[in-house]
Amino acid sequence: MIDALFQNSLVARIILNTLFVSIPEELYLVMFTLIMVGEFEYWKESECKRLINRFDYVRVFLPTIAGALASNILINAGLNNGFYQFLTPIFMYIIIVLTNDIFGDASAIKWMLKAFISYMIGFLSIGILELLYIPMVLYGTGITLVQLSNSFLHYFLLSLPSRFLQYSILLYLISKRRTLLKGKLIKNMLSSPVLIIIFSLLVLCNILFLWLMYNFIVYDKVLINFQHISQVFIIIGIVSFPMLNISALLWGFYFLKNNEIKDKKKASEKLYILLKEIEIYTNNENYDNIRWKLNEIGMGIRDVAQNLYKENETDRIT
């Protein structure tokens, strides 16, 4: 009966898909974004008894419901191919920004950048999770996604594995009561405009890559003639590619930053050692050694100054 209503009534199809398929997905994306930018820091407080407070309803549920409705309206209007697929995510991001009280704040631009990066990562995670199993279901049953979407029950069941994985991620973030953006690595990355641009472009390229692969594999079924084991390995490779290159960027940045911190630590330790020795010589009234230590410090400072001067001269020449 539900399937008959789903197939014969456009309004019923939009409502059912919105309530049971799209809203859970968009809620994951909104919550993931807000958690990552640290909008639920009050969860850390011992007196916090609710996951979502009343003052959070607008910024959580308005983007969720609006995005879910927009997505289903576009799909049923036939605007679900090509770059039309990106209209709903853009629309949702705009609503997320508008429903958070950031305007007039000096850090509004920084918040929007954090939200944009977090939103893209969440969007990318949805594509990765769906690509893990949907192609296998379609290839195994021999039907297309369009045919499957004509049955509400089948379409709903197809979305369940992805929802389970998505909400497992949310539960992990909630259970930790912390955000990744509080980590030193992400903090340092967000402090550099160049790194923000590089990271954003990388994530965008990965989203575009997954979008192309999703269309080729799910809609065009380009792997249909491959053996099952080959299909599995190809899909695993495609899914792994975004995770590996993003991880490589983060690891590379961590490696460089860690070396920089080590160098600073060594320099700091050396100065503390010199200071300690000067204090010892002062207490012993050994002023000749103090003079020698000060001379050593002066030579070190002179070397640094000369190196900086040479670097600046090189910059001016080039």
Side-chain angles (χ1 to χ4, degrees):
M1 180 178 177
I2 294 178
D3 269 354
L5 181 65
F6 185 80
Q7 292 175 9
N8 297 325
S9 173
L10 178 61
V11 175
R13 179 182 300 180
I14 292 175
I15 291 173
L16 288 172
N17 271 339
T18 299
L19 288 175
F20 296 101
V21 179
S22 298
I23 283 181
E25 181 174 85
E26 311 304 358
L27 180 61
Y28 160 77
L29 187 54
V30 172
M31 288 294 292
F32 182 91
T33 302
L34 294 179
I35 290 172
M36 290 287 283
V37 295
E39 287 299 314
F40 296 105
E41 285 301 291
Y42 60 79
W43 287 346
K44 294 180 180 180
E45 299 172 5
S46 57
E47 60 270 16
C48 177
K49 304 298 181 184
R50 302 182 63 173
L51 190 62
I52 301 177
N53 286 314
R54 290 182 179 178
F55 55 80
D56 291 319
Y57 287 172
V58 172
R59 63 177 179 170
V60 171
F61 296 118
L62 181 59
T64 297
I65 296 171
L69 276 172
S71 174
N72 281 283
I73 290 171
L74 288 173
I75 289 172
N76 286 280
L79 300 176
N80 60 329
N81 296 319
F83 286 96
Y84 287 113
Q85 292 172 321
F86 294 102
L87 289 178
T88 299
I90 293 170
F91 174 63
M92 277 187 63
Y93 172 73
I94 292 172
I95 297 179
I96 289 173
V97 172
L98 293 176
T99 52
N100 280 272
D101 189 19
I102 60 169
F103 295 102
D105 194 332
S107 60
I109 300 297
K110 188 176 181 180
W111 189 96
M112 285 189 283
L113 286 172
K114 287 182 180 180
F116 182 66
I117 292 174
S118 303
Y119 186 80
M120 288 193 299
I121 294 173
F123 188 69
L124 186 64
S125 70
I126 291 174
I128 290 173
L129 295 176
E130 289 185 352
L131 202 55
L132 281 172
Y133 71 95
I134 288 180
M136 294 296 98
V137 173
L138 298 180
Y139 290 170
T141 57
I143 61 176
T144 66
L145 187 62
V146 175
Q147 292 172 330
L148 196 64
S149 63
N150 287 329
S151 168
F152 167 72
L153 181 60
H154 291 159
Y155 196 49
F156 171 70
L157 291 175
L158 184 67
S159 70
L160 290 181
S162 179
R163 299 297 173 270
F164 174 77
L165 295 172
Q166 289 165 8
Y167 282 87
S168 296
I169 294 172
L170 278 186
L171 286 174
Y172 172 77
L173 293 176
I174 292 169
S175 66
K176 290 297 181 181
R177 292 176 179 261
R178 63 188 294 273
T179 70
L180 295 178
L181 289 173
K182 294 297 179 183
K184 290 183 179 179
L185 176 63
I186 304 297
K187 265 189 173 181
N188 289 328
M189 179 174 287
L190 290 174
S191 66
S192 170
V194 175
L195 286 172
I196 289 175
I197 293 171
I198 292 173
F199 189 73
S200 299
L201 288 175
L202 180 64
V203 176
L204 281 172
C205 288
N206 280 304
I207 289 174
L208 182 60
F209 168 76
L210 268 188
W211 172 71
L212 290 171
M213 293 300 103
Y214 191 91
N215 280 280
F216 288 147
I217 295 172
V218 174
Y219 288 101
D220 298 336
K221 287 193 171 183
V222 295
L223 302 180
I224 193 67
N225 294 322
F226 285 75
Q227 292 183 352
H228 182 70
I229 189 67
S230 299
Q231 293 173 353
V232 172
F233 276 109
I234 291 172
I235 290 171
I236 290 175
I238 290 171
V239 168
S240 301
F241 178 73
M243 294 188 290
L244 288 174
N245 61 57
I246 290 175
S247 299
L249 175 66
L250 292 175
W251 182 87
F253 175 71
Y254 172 79
F255 177 78
L256 293 174
K257 197 68 181 177
N258 195 45
N259 283 343
E260 180 185 337
I261 292 171
K262 284 181 179 178
D263 291 339
K264 289 180 179 179
K265 187 178 180 181
K266 286 180 181 178
S268 176
E269 288 175 350
K270 185 176 181 180
L271 288 174
Y272 275 119
I273 290 171
L274 289 171
L275 180 61
K276 190 68 177 177
E277 290 178 352
I278 289 173
E279 288 176 353
I280 293 172
Y281 295 145
T282 302
N283 293 333
N284 295 332
E285 296 184 354
N286 194 340
Y287 298 111
D288 289 336
N289 280 326
I290 293 175
R291 190 179 298 110
W292 177 79
K293 284 294 177 184
L294 289 174
N295 186 54
E296 182 181 339
I297 294 172
M299 290 174 63
I301 294 173
R302 191 180 300 111
D303 289 339
V304 173
Q306 286 176 350
N307 289 334
L308 287 174
Y309 177 75
K310 288 177 182 178
E311 288 175 5
N312 291 335
E313 284 293 322
T314 304
D315 291 340
R316 282 197 289 269
I317 291 171
T318 55

